[in-house]
Amino acid sequence: MEMKKRALVSVSDKAGVVDFCKGLVQNGFEIISTGGTAKALQAAGISVIGISEITGFPECLDGRVKTLHPNVHAGLLAMRSNPEHMKQLEELNINTIDIVCVNLYPFKATLQKGADFAECIENIDIGGPTMIRAAAKNYQDVAVIVDPADYSKVLEELAAGGVTLETKKYLQYKVFAHTAQYDSLISNYLAGQLGITFPDTVTFTYDKAQEMRYGENPQQNAVFYKEPFVPEGCLSAAKQLWGKELSYNNINDANGALELLKEFGSTPAVVACKHANPCGVGIGDSIHQAYMRAYESDPVSVFGGILAINGTVDEATAEEINKIFIEIVMAPAYTDKALEILEQKKNIRLLQIDNISARRKSTAFDMKKVYGGLLVQQYDECLIKGEDMGLFSSKAPVEVSTLPSGKQKNTYGCGVVTDRMPSQEEVETLMFAWKVVKHTKSNAIVIGKPGRTTGIGMGQTNRIWAAQQAIAHAGDEAKGSVMASDAFFPFPDCVEECIKAGITAIIQPGGSIRDKESVELANANGISMVFVGDRHFKH
């Protein structure tokens, strides 16, 4: 039996498939096809062998079964170098299949359009993955194409005498990468349908978005991958309007700025960020006012930093930004004049991010890679647990208990724990500072005045250093500021620093065994202190 050169073509993405099949025919191949692909090829004048002619069995169950047949899979899996395999094909009158061109039912696109469960399940491909996996297993004899981008390379090599073994191995790799992502999307979708947050095994899939010149440092190679379903208001969804490509550090730092910006909703806000930490934050009645407040918070650190802005950048704001060197500006919109001004700077990068204030979906994960494992947690979306319980307008209940050592412990609830209640202005500023400290690397202290930070201390190995750093950065502006701490005060020394600096109110989680000392010291000096209950460590 003389084996004919045959290609099996069945694709959901029909881009380029007609020209590809014309090229296959020119290289002596017969085309086997199914369903809609067969109709598209026949409409283009390409002769097609229907899959039923190969299997001797009609497509059935609404097309669910058409290629799952020995006449197909024996033709794919037979090793041409194995005489027994070839003898069996001849005895069974089965022709080999030398090229498989298949991409799968559009499960990803079905999810993206928000289809219901039944439609999603119906778009799980069965025959397609089976065929391409079979072809890829027999890579030395079969070239299998799942990506239209590879059509031209395959045709070029066929014209030169045949698809090379090197290319077949590359195509084999792409098959299993393709099916791994496909199955990952399905399993994660089904876990979500069952409400399983942390499954026993987990696979995450990402698409390469950008190869980078280097990573954190020039000696490190790096790539940026994006999620298959790009959420609103994130860097993966950004449109770059101006400037060179983002670097590894740019993306990491910009993400820190975006996370904090989202805390302010529709209130005009500007976050200046350096090394993924906020260095100046401002809110106001306009974006221009918010920018000036953010800049004036720490002009030294803002230089060379990243700006995240939740409103339209106008001409006046652009003029101010251009007075210093800024790496990146991210905003939902720019006026034409603002763009004209900002594009005068060659090294600035301008990003447009629609819905920049959009919050994360509840299914999003915060992940940190460690050597030999992966830490996965839900994002810290909570701001203040007691906010709806009159946090600033009532006194926290106090329960006194005795520790095993015999020492007394004061356990305070959420609310004001000092004699003096905070003023309305202090309440607003405490809330502002609490939002900022939540997104500052621990140990973290943020001090601020209405609408702006005055000093930020971050990433310290003890809390008193973070407090001293924030107060030192603020200088004279510390007087009259409020303070936010991402975790409790282990000692009253932070309150002592507040007294010396003239800070008037403090917001912190509470929960230290020495809370009573901090509260009594605040009371003795007229400082208002609020316990929140929730900690916001960020590492």
Side-chain angles (χ1 to χ4, degrees):
M1 173 183 172
E2 182 182 354
M3 295 293 176
K4 300 173 182 177
K5 293 198 297 185
R6 283 181 171 174
L8 196 159
V9 182
S10 180
V11 294
S12 59
D13 178 2
K14 295 179 175 54
V17 73
V18 169
D19 289 339
F20 179 59
C21 287
K22 286 180 178 179
L24 291 177
V25 171
Q26 290 171 4
N27 281 280
F29 281 83
E30 295 180 342
I31 307 297
I32 305 167
S33 193
T34 67
T37 305
K39 291 178 182 177
L41 297 178
Q42 288 169 334
I46 298 171
S47 179
V48 171
I49 301 170
I51 194 68
S52 295
E53 295 179 53
I54 301 299
T55 63
F57 200 88
E59 295 185 23
C60 63
L61 305 181
D62 298 320
R64 282 188 167 203
V65 179
K66 45 183 177 274
T67 60
L68 296 169
H69 195 280
N71 287 0
V72 173
H73 288 276
L76 293 174
L77 286 164
M79 298 175 67
R80 313 316 192 242
S81 61
N82 186 321
E84 281 299 314
H85 283 195
M86 301 310 292
K87 180 182 177 182
Q88 288 181 46
L89 287 189
E90 189 166 355
E91 291 172 350
L92 295 167
N93 197 31
I94 296 174
N95 203 96
T96 54
I97 297 173
D98 306 296
I99 288 179
V100 171
C101 176
V102 170
N103 45 58
L104 309 179
Y105 288 177
F107 184 80
K108 177 179 174 182
T110 305
L111 290 183
Q112 284 176 318
K113 73 176 186 179
D116 61 20
F117 183 76
E119 186 177 354
C120 288
I121 297 305
E122 197 59 33
N123 275 276
I124 296 175
D125 204 325
I126 303 301
T130 306
M131 279 193 296
I132 62 178
R133 287 171 65 89
K137 180 173 181 174
N138 201 20
Y139 71 94
Q140 67 272 25
D141 295 316
V142 184
V144 53
I145 303 102
V146 295
D147 184 353
D150 294 319
Y151 289 165
S152 59
K153 184 175 182 62
V154 170
L155 290 178
E156 286 171 11
E157 293 192 3
L158 285 173
V163 182
T164 65
L165 186 62
E166 181 182 10
T167 295
K168 286 178 178 177
K169 286 183 175 180
Y170 174 69
L171 295 173
Q172 176 194 45
Y173 146 73
K174 291 192 77 170
V175 165
F176 289 106
H178 187 50
T179 56
Q181 183 184 57
Y182 196 78
D183 287 341
S184 175
L185 291 173
I186 294 169
S187 64
N188 289 341
Y189 168 72
L190 295 176
Q193 292 293 304
L194 292 170
I196 300 172
T197 303
F198 299 115
D200 292 336
T201 62
V202 66
T203 304
F204 299 107
T205 179
Y206 296 86
D207 299 313
K208 184 188 287 186
Q210 177 188 338
E211 290 190 3
M212 298 175 165
R213 287 189 301 135
Y214 56 83
E216 257 180 321
N217 300 291
Q219 68 270 24
Q220 295 169 272
N221 296 327
V223 172
F224 176 46
Y225 291 93
K226 65 180 181 181
E227 294 178 359
F229 304 109
V230 176
E232 291 184 319
C234 70
L235 280 168
S236 296
K239 178 182 179 183
Q240 187 159 350
L241 305 179
W242 179 259
K244 56 188 176 183
E245 282 190 335
L246 300 180
S247 70
Y248 181 100
N249 290 332
N250 287 157
I251 291 173
N252 186 55
D253 295 351
N255 186 64
L258 277 176
E259 287 190 359
L260 172 51
L261 186 72
K262 294 180 186 300
E263 295 288 352
F264 297 104
S266 60
T267 300
V270 174
V271 174
C273 197
K274 202 81 163 283
H275 301 295
N277 269 307
C279 56
V281 183
I283 58 175
D285 296 326
S286 67
I287 291 298
H288 181 262
Q289 183 183 46
Y291 170 75
M292 294 309 300
R293 286 175 170 176
Y295 170 73
E296 289 164 1
S297 296
D298 189 349
V300 174
S301 297
V302 171
F303 184 91
I306 290 169
L307 298 177
I309 301 171
N310 67 359
T312 300
V313 179
D314 57 20
E315 179 180 352
T317 306
E319 290 281 9
E320 291 295 335
I321 292 171
N322 259 19
K323 289 179 180 179
I324 61 171
F325 169 55
I326 291 292
E327 284 262 15
I328 300 171
V329 179
M330 300 175 286
Y334 303 79
T335 65
D336 291 342
K337 187 63 178 176
L339 281 176
E340 182 183 324
I341 292 166
L342 292 169
E343 288 173 2
Q344 294 172 10
K345 291 287 187 81
K346 181 176 69 173
N347 291 323
I348 198 170
R349 298 155 169 98
L350 305 178
L351 303 182
Q352 179 181 322
I353 303 179
D354 296 334
N355 299 317
I356 199 167
S357 297
R359 302 304 294 254
R360 295 184 195 88
K361 293 183 178 179
S362 59
T363 54
F365 288 122
D366 182 17
M367 295 181 284
K368 292 181 176 69
K369 183 72 180 73
V370 297
Y371 188 55
L374 183 70
L375 287 168
V376 180
Q377 65 177 351
Q378 294 176 316
Y379 275 100
D380 182 7
E381 295 292 3
C382 177
L383 187 62
I384 290 181
K385 185 185 296 180
E387 191 174 1
D388 296 329
M389 302 187 300
L391 182 71
F392 298 101
S393 59
S394 61
K395 297 286 186 178
V398 180
E399 177 187 329
V400 180
S401 60
T402 303
L403 298 175
S405 63
K407 296 181 180 178
Q408 292 293 313
K409 174 188 176 182
N410 279 43
T411 303
Y412 295 82
C414 295
V416 180
V417 294
T418 50
D419 296 336
R420 186 175 76 80
M421 303 290 290
S423 68
Q424 184 58 40
E425 183 178 273
E426 285 174 325
V427 167
E428 292 171 0
T429 310
L430 287 168
M431 280 300 302
F432 167 78
W434 189 244
K435 291 176 180 178
V436 179
V437 83
K438 174 185 172 183
H439 294 275
T440 305
K441 297 291 178 67
S442 301
N443 285 317
I445 295 286
V446 170
I447 60 175
K449 288 183 174 177
R452 64 189 176 99
T453 54
T454 53
I456 302 175
M458 77 288 284
Q460 298 302 310
T461 53
N462 63 64
R463 193 150 302 279
I464 187 61
W465 286 356
Q468 290 169 340
Q469 182 187 55
I471 290 167
H473 283 179
D476 293 340
E477 287 292 317
K479 187 174 183 180
S481 290
V482 305
M483 174 182 283
S485 173
D486 66 336
F488 64 61
F489 292 160
F491 305 101
D493 50 5
C494 288
V495 181
E496 292 170 0
E497 294 295 329
C498 289
I499 295 165
K500 289 186 285 186
I503 288 168
T504 65
I506 298 169
I507 186 169
Q508 57 137 318
S512 168
I513 62 172
R514 302 182 70 166
D515 278 343
K516 183 179 179 182
E517 295 174 43
S518 293
V519 172
E520 289 178 346
L521 188 58
N523 273 332
N525 290 274
I527 295 174
S528 180
M529 186 182 292
V530 181
F531 281 4
V532 174
D534 285 325
R535 185 184 72 190
H536 287 299
F537 274 162
K538 185 178 176 66
H539 295 107

